[in-house]
């Protein structure tokens, strides 16, 4: 009878990636899908302690013990929704509420050819958005400046441009306008350069058996370039350094095949 040869299993990996952030209390808050992740990799390196016997003229290696195992890797994501951007920028995601208000005398030092943000303060450098009825005028007596001739306006972002060749010179002017009640998302960077939690990869293989991976304790640290402007004809991506840690009561990585009845 001929030998039965091993049938090799080949793999082309695909899958969905979920991150479960750990709160300040140390508890996991709930898995969030990261969206499309073109690449999730793990690299394993070991450090060994070697011992050489000195009982003979030529020292002989008689021990070689593994004393350290490091599991690390990379996670690449191109789903750049607000939650992922907050992770990339090591920041927090919040909702900003702007109340409706009429501004009558906002002082602005201007120079022709430059742009200025209405409503900008040290506490709120982003300034006002969704403005209307904008009137720019001299701080003293005089006629209001003319929109389109002396200045330009982007009402949605609340920005003005002082046009060169117009009646506005390098001086202080005053702005009057209305701002609508509005809401938008904001990400503010914070002191933490990484996020910790658990990572799950639910397999959907092109070829090979589906095996799901779960890492109960990981840290994700943003790394590499994150393009704000790019002339290349390619979608943006962001990278994280992935550190896989070993929890106190369990393995660092679980790799489970799919269950079958019986």
């Amino acid at each position: 009878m001929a030998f039965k040869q091993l049938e090799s299993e080949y793999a082309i990996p695909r899958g969905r990636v979920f991150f479960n952030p750990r709160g300040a209390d140390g508890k996991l808050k709930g898995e969030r899908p990261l969206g499309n992740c073109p690449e999730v990799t793990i690299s394993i390196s070991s450090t060994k302690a070697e011992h050489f016997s000195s009982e003979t003229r030529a020292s002989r290696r008689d021990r070689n013990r593994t004393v350290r195992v490091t599991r690390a890797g990379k996670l690449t994501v191109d789903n750049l929704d607000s939650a992922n951007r907050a992770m990339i920028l090591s920041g927090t995601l919040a909702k900003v509420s702007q109340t409706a208000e009429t501004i009558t005398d906002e002082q602005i030092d201007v120079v022709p050819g430059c742009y200025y943000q209405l409503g900008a303060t040290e506490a709120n450098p982003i300034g006002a958005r969704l403005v209307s009825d904008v009137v720019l005028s001299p701080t003293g007596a005089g006629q209001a400046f003319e929109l389109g001739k002396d200045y330009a306006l982007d009402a949605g972002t609340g920005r003005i441009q002082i046009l060169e060749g117009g009646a506005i010179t390098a001086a202080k002017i005053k702005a009057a306008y209305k701002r609508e009640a509005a809401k938008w998302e904001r990400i503010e960077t914070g002191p933490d350069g990484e996020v910790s939690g658990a990572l799950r990869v639910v397999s959907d293989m092109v070829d090979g058996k589906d095996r799901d991976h779960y890492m109960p304790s990981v840290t994700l640290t943003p790394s590499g370039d994150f393009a704000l402007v790019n002339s290349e004809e390619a979608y943006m991506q962001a990278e994280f350094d992935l550190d896989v840690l070993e929890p106190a009561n369990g393995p660092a990585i679980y790799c489970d095949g799919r269950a079958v009845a019986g």
Side-chain angles (χ1 to χ4, degrees), residues 76-90 187 189 222-230 235-240:
T76 303
V77 61
D78 60 13
N79 169 38
L80 300 178
D81 61 10
S82 298
N84 283 353
R85 284 177 180 267
M87 289 175 56
I88 294 163
L89 297 175
S90 300
I187 298 169
T189 57
S223 64
D225 297 330
F226 182 62
L228 302 183
V229 177
N230 196 337
Y235 290 101
M236 291 173 57
Q237 293 183 341
E239 283 191 352
F240 293 88

Side-chain angles (χ1 to χ4, degrees), residues 24 48 53-54 66 70 80-81 90 93-94 115 126-127 154 197 226 235 249 257 259:
K48 293 189 175 184
S53 171
S54 299
T66 299
T70 302
L80 300 178
D81 61 10
S90 300
L93 178 63
Y115 295 76
I126 300 300
D154 183 341
F226 182 62
Y235 290 101
N249 300 296

Side-chain angles (χ1 to χ4, degrees), residues 98-228:
Q98 173 180 279
T99 58
E101 188 176 355
T102 298
I103 310 298
T104 58
D105 187 8
E106 183 175 303
Q107 306 283 313
I108 308 174
D109 286 307
V110 298
V111 175
C114 293
Y115 295 76
Y116 299 89
Q117 177 66 50
L118 295 175
T121 63
E122 286 189 10
N124 180 30
I126 300 300
R129 297 190 171 188
L130 297 182
V131 300
S132 60
D133 299 338
V134 177
V135 177
L136 302 185
S137 57
T139 54
Q143 295 289 326
F145 299 114
E146 185 177 342
L147 177 63
K149 181 179 179 182
D150 301 322
Y151 68 96
L153 168 69
D154 183 341
T157 61
R159 287 169 56 77
I160 57 173
Q161 179 191 14
I162 308 303
L163 299 177
E164 294 181 330
I168 303 176
T169 59
K172 182 172 287 187
I173 64 172
K174 64 180 180 181
Y177 57 92
K178 294 179 181 178
R179 69 183 191 196
E180 298 181 25
K183 296 180 180 180
W184 62 87
E185 291 181 332
R186 173 177 293 170
I187 298 169
E188 293 185 357
T189 57
D192 296 328
E194 62 185 26
V195 290
S196 63
L199 191 72
R200 188 187 303 272
V201 179
V202 179
S203 176
D204 187 13
M205 302 288 285
V206 177
D207 192 8
K209 295 179 180 179
D210 285 319
R211 290 183 172 87
D212 302 329
H213 291 77
Y214 181 68
M215 289 151 268
S217 181
V218 304
T219 60
L220 293 176
T221 307
S223 64
D225 297 330
F226 182 62
L228 302 183

Side-chain angles (χ1 to χ4, degrees), residues 46-51 61 63-69:
S46 300
T47 301
K48 293 189 175 184
E50 297 180 321
H51 181 271
R61 186 174 66 166
R63 288 289 188 277
N64 189 17
R65 302 294 189 189
T66 299
V67 295
R68 180 178 301 168
V69 177

